[in-house]
Amino acid sequence: MASEEYVERVLALVEQIPPGRVSTYGLIAEALRHSLGSGGPRQVGAVMALHGGGVPWWRVVRADGTLPDSHGPEARQAYLGEGTPLRRSGAVDIEAAVWLPPLDPATVPGT
């Protein structure tokens, strides 16, 4: 179970992702690992599953640009509305859309 601080930091980072851009579970985990020393992509995914409804959850994708199938239709509408670059498959074009969270602990929210 993630600490309250970890949950707050994940959600704060997700809120920073600009419209039309995405980050990955792994990139967010890496940014928090630099400042908190723990966590991984699965922990970020668990935070998003339990607490991510109030943030732009569709902006956090797997490393291959996909989301779980259950999120597809709603996320696709958000991507189209925000102009997020997509591949023909419907997955996000990571190379064109990636947003890198800050790795400097002084710039991560809550530090």
Side-chain angles (χ1 to χ4, degrees):
M1 177 179 247
S3 70
E4 186 175 327
E5 179 183 18
Y6 192 86
V7 170
E8 288 176 11
R9 295 230 194 147
V10 167
L11 298 178
L13 277 175
V14 173
E15 288 178 329
Q16 290 184 34
I17 303 170
R21 305 286 298 277
V22 298
S23 195
T24 69
Y25 297 101
L27 289 171
I28 291 171
E30 184 66 22
L32 294 176
R33 198 172 304 121
H34 278 82
S35 63
L36 296 176
S38 65
R42 289 178 190 242
Q43 190 172 7
V44 172
V47 169
M48 293 301 296
L50 294 171
H51 308 284
V55 297
W57 53 265
W58 60 90
R59 295 182 191 151
V60 182
V61 298
R62 295 176 182 141
D64 67 358
T66 63
L67 279 169
D69 291 337
S70 61
H71 293 18
E74 191 175 350
R76 182 163 174 74
Q77 290 298 353
Y79 297 146
L80 293 173
E82 293 183 355
T84 306
L86 301 175
R87 297 190 312 245
R88 295 189 96 167
S89 66
V92 172
D93 182 342
I94 291 290
E95 287 185 26
V98 72
W99 175 82
L100 300 173
L103 293 179
D104 178 356
T107 63
V108 175
T111 57

